[in-house]
Amino acid sequence: MVRNNHVLTKKALVLAVCTAFGVLGGSAFAQQAARSGDPSANAATDKKGKDKSEKDKAVQMKALSVVANRYEATSIRMDSVNTVDVLSASDLQHTAVHNVAEALGLMSGVNVTTTGTGYFGGVDGAARGEGMFASVRGLPSEYNVNLVNGSNVAQGMPYSRSVQLSLLPPSGLQTIVLNKTSTADMDGDAIGGTIDFRTPSAFDFKKDFSGSVTASGRSESRARDYGGSGLGGGIAGELQSKFGAEKQFGVYVSAYYDYRNIANSEVGAAESAGNDGSWAFLHATAEGDSAPGYDPQHNLTSIGTNVGIASGFERRYGGNMSFDWNVDPTLHAYAKLSYAYALTEQNTTYNQLLPQDVTYVPTATPGVYSPNIGRIANRFWFETNPERADLATIQFGADKTAGGWTISPNVFWSIGRNDRPEHVEIDGREDKYSQDNFAYNRSSLLTYGGSHFPYPALTPALQESVNNIQNMWANDYGEVTRIRSGQKRGGAKVDLRYDFEDGPVQSVKFGVKYSDSSREFTNRDWSTGGINDGTTTLDDLGIFKGYYNQIFPGKYAWRTPDVSRAAVAALIDAHVQPSDLDTCSQLDFNNFNCDTMRGTEAVSAAYAMATIEQGPLEIIPGVRFEHTSIHNTFWTTPQDADGNELPGHFSNNRTLYNEPLGSLFVNYRPGGNVVFRGSIWQSYTRPAFVQLGGGEQISVSNGVTTITRGNPDLDPIKATNVDLGAEWTTSNGGFFSLTSYYKKLRDYIYDSGGGQANPNTSGVGTVLTKTPTNGGDGRVYGIEATVRQKFENLPGAWNGLGFSVNATKQNSRVDLGREGFENERLQQAPRTMANAELFYEKYGFSVNLSYHYTGSFISTYDFLNQGAPWDDLWLRPIRRVDLHVGYAMDNGLQFDLQVSNLTRQYQYWSHIGRYSLANSDIVDAGRTALVTVKYSF
């Protein structure tokens, strides 16, 4: 859909960038040298004799500097022209988190989610026991821009634009900067926020040569509950050196490796309801609908459930490298490289208790019936959720000053992958040959204990069966799925700024940017033939390597098998045939290609902005224009007039976006310790690729042809954003901030996993088209507050005490574009989020006791496809207490103990209906303890 013919051409942008590398340059030398204590920093002065880095402070956030502690982080927040939050190196070191996604949860207004789309979704994704994605100010994770050292990262996720942050450990980074507002020189596709993960350079250290080595040991309590070791650990190191006749060269290198072993508990009643229909209305009509006069969600009951164990491991390694060259006091050149790799093996062993022969019988109330479960089918299901993910970035750039000019060219490249290399499944059934076993005749399967925890009510026969899974009939020899998903992304940009000597206009800044990306997704599935000999049991297949004594320690006491993933894979490999390919069609030719998508996306951008100062008033108007060209390639599967599948072919579509984005930032700085902020700016988010170019299915039924496909005419989600706030510091160690925000959304598209959002059927006569569509308008508004106080005026050792609190209260409303869904809460948008910390820092000791709270929020709309909001999937509030204790010695040794989830709360609890817990999914991942020893030299 073309909105503007004034398009920045690739040729013009490349020419501009090439010109930039040959002309002028930047002021980063002064800033880098100042951080390193280099006296030559005084040489970088403008014609007024002012320090250049001081003048830059009102224009950008101290370049790409990293910060060591929260007090330096406060300085960055105060100096910035836009609203930011900053996590320092010590913040990351003093928190008991698994990865940087969880670290982001320490910031105000950030909700960390343990699930995503596709095979990252639901209870199975949450069973890994770690945060994976970050929602900023109530907006989904794909509404964020993710950067490493200011450079865009590739988006390798199969069904969304999100970046899986769980593959980045806290040890691999030094500073995280969250931009909650966007100036014109920032990417415009950030309705939520811009998250910049920063690594240091050699010039961020005072010494000419230094480094560190860190060793760690980890223990997972839930794995130990199952009788495993639950142990893990890691090693990390960094080294930096400045060299040359004038120490003009700097090299920084870091590397890390860590691993964790998990065994977490799962209850999947909501999952069973969605996948197997294991739900009913307790008070129903004879047809099973909710009886008149009863609220559907309060009328729900569970008639089946899954119970299981998610076991496996995670291995991560990677590192960062930077090279900096201060050519002269006016020219700084750099190269930066980062790489992160994560290999996850997740094996889920499920005992499934599924309803069969459900009827509705009269109750004492006339016209009201209740469900009767004729029997319970006891089944066994084993599946793996493996993942191979990596993320690499590389960039080259320079900063050059000449007179009043500053120019900063940069080229960047990134690759990201999120593969599911060998997903295997196998199952067994007690009722494979006979449906006469396990008569039940009850209205519900579950009873509920304290905190409404569900307990299956098992008959003696079922109790015997669940303890002898090995005797179940084998259903087949298994199923294997191989998924590849990744993106390559590269580009170039150039920023130019001119600083004026006199007058209210302090500077003007403008620039251009071009990025191009390609992505590919393939999904292929093979299902082996069934076993129908009447004799083969699961035990006969040789896939069990032992048993767990309790399937859910402390709750469900029956035992369950420990399955060998390697044995299942070998069994499938021995029996699978080429004809077993059954991805999503009937013909092999279609099955090989039907779940294949490829796409390219080119984004051209240009911006201009100015900084105007009138005494303490700072005004920054700006405008940005972004042109996006997207080409998608996907498979089309047709049918003939009789409904017979025909060989398919690849098809293409194209999407164009032209988005002008204005912004106005006003800062009032009446003193050095306070700043008042006001801003209004526009932003947008492009639809996910699967919504634009999903595969095409052409089906024929009763003479009517229905075409189901992606929609290249989808509009981007657009937002007008307003922020008002204030930040101030005190002379005795205090920092305070208060910010309100409002976002007006248009053309909303919600996360529907791998399916279509708002599928709408259009057309007349015998040809109908079913495509995703945009929703209506929405809004998000809220208020954030941060208070931090160190009691510096207390006597003696007591002045090491302090506390910090941040809290966010927000509301959201959105029109999904579906009848009955005009007033929904945004996904992943809790109304309340808060962090509280009591800390002590003195004599080398550091103690941090923190409490984290996230209110309830919607995960999935219309989970049971009932066409009404009452069956949305909600998450219960999350409460977590963490502890850190550390001691740093004068000889460079540092010891730290970090404990996450000290009180062993459930990490995940979702439920169907906001006010009903009858159908819940629960994950218990226990407590994690991490001990680290670091030596710095």
Side-chain angles (χ1 to χ4, degrees), residues 351 466-470 547-551 557-561:
N351 196 163
V466 297
N467 276 296
N468 291 278
I469 296 295
Q470 72 278 4
Y547 290 87
Y548 296 103
N549 290 330
Q550 295 186 51
I551 194 169
W558 70 83
R559 75 171 192 167
T560 202

Side-chain angles (χ1 to χ4, degrees), residues 292 420 701 867:
R420 201 184 199 191
S701 178

Side-chain angles (χ1 to χ4, degrees), residues 65 162 194 208 229 307 345 350 548 560 582 616 632 659 709 784 793 825 827 833 932:
S65 62
S162 300
T194 300
D208 290 340
S229 70
V307 182
E345 180 180 297
Y350 262 145
Y548 296 103
T560 202
D582 63 348
N632 285 302
E659 298 299 329
R709 63 188 179 197
E784 297 174 349
N793 294 330
R825 178 103 65 91
Q827 289 174 310
M833 293 169 282
T932 62

Side-chain angles (χ1 to χ4, degrees), residues 404-622:
W405 283 98
T406 301
I407 187 167
S408 302
N410 177 278
V411 294
F412 58 90
W413 181 84
S414 178
I415 183 171
R417 294 186 302 170
N418 287 92
D419 296 339
R420 201 184 199 191
E422 194 86 0
H423 163 77
V424 299
E425 298 182 33
I426 199 166
D427 67 303
R429 301 187 178 193
E430 186 70 40
D431 61 346
K432 182 174 176 63
Y433 302 111
S434 172
Q435 280 70 51
D436 297 330
N437 40 356
F438 310 131
Y440 201 67
N441 296 317
R442 301 183 186 184
S443 60
S444 301
L445 174 71
L446 301 180
T447 60
Y448 302 93
S451 301
H452 216 77
F453 192 92
Y455 293 88
L458 302 181
T459 64
L462 276 172
Q463 187 75 46
E464 174 71 17
S465 180
V466 297
N467 276 296
N468 291 278
I469 296 295
Q470 72 278 4
N471 295 329
M472 270 191 187
W473 305 116
N475 194 44
D476 54 32
Y477 293 107
E479 178 181 358
V480 61
T481 306
R482 299 184 178 99
I483 297 177
R484 301 287 185 271
S485 179
Q487 184 185 55
K488 297 177 182 178
R489 185 173 187 173
K493 64 177 182 177
V494 59
D495 299 299
L496 301 99
R497 190 182 75 246
Y498 185 79
D499 297 311
F500 294 92
E501 296 185 28
D502 300 300
V505 179
Q506 298 295 299
S507 65
V508 293
K509 186 178 181 182
F510 50 93
V512 293
K513 180 177 181 179
Y514 177 80
S515 67
D516 205 348
S517 65
S518 63
R519 62 178 293 119
E520 182 168 334
F521 169 79
T522 61
N523 178 1
R524 299 186 179 107
D525 180 88
W526 292 261
S527 297
T528 63
I531 301 175
N532 298 296
D533 56 13
T535 61
T536 303
T537 66
L538 287 175
D539 201 35
D540 295 331
L541 298 180
I543 60 174
F544 299 152
K545 58 182 179 181
Y547 290 87
Y548 296 103
N549 290 330
Q550 295 186 51
I551 194 169
F552 198 122
K555 298 296 183 182
Y556 311 146
W558 70 83
R559 75 171 192 167
T560 202
D562 184 3
V563 181
S564 167
R565 184 208 62 81
V568 173
L571 185 70
I572 295 171
D573 189 58
H575 291 87
V576 70
Q577 302 294 324
S579 59
D580 292 331
L581 182 65
D582 63 348
T583 309
C584 46
S585 297
Q586 298 175 358
L587 301 178
D588 287 346
F589 185 61
N590 290 336
N591 271 314
F592 192 79
N593 296 295
C594 59
D595 234 354
T596 297
M597 290 186 294
R598 295 190 295 269
T600 62
E601 181 176 68
V603 182
S604 308
Y607 75 90
M609 57 189 292
T611 299
I612 303 167
E613 291 186 8
Q614 288 283 3
L617 193 64
E618 182 180 80
I619 304 172
I620 306 168

Side-chain angles (χ1 to χ4, degrees), residues 260 302 897:
R260 59 189 290 248
S302 176
L897 168 65

Side-chain angles (χ1 to χ4, degrees), residues 30-92:
Q31 297 172 20
Q32 298 279 11
R35 288 194 298 274
S36 66
D38 191 336
S40 64
N42 295 329
T45 57
D46 64 8
K47 294 182 180 180
K48 289 183 177 181
K50 294 181 179 179
D51 187 288
K52 198 69 175 174
S53 64
E54 179 182 340
K55 193 168 187 178
D56 288 348
K57 186 168 63 176
V59 179
Q60 58 187 9
M61 193 170 43
K62 292 189 175 180
L64 288 178
S65 62
V66 300
V67 293
N69 55 57
R70 62 182 63 188
Y71 306 102
E72 292 180 7
T74 296
S75 296
I76 283 190
R77 292 185 61 163
M78 296 290 294
D79 294 345
S80 176
V81 299
N82 61 325
T83 302
V84 302
D85 210 339
V86 182
L87 283 179
S88 67
S90 64
D91 290 326
L92 294 171

Side-chain angles (χ1 to χ4, degrees), residues 674-707:
V674 62
V675 56
F676 298 93
R677 304 185 188 277
S679 60
I680 180 170
W681 80 104
Q682 295 171 307
S683 56
Y684 73 109
T685 295
R686 307 175 195 101
F689 288 94
V690 70
Q691 303 293 342
L692 296 169
E696 183 174 77
Q697 302 285 328
I698 303 175
S699 62
V700 179
S701 178
N702 298 323
V704 177
T705 300
T706 302
I707 304 170

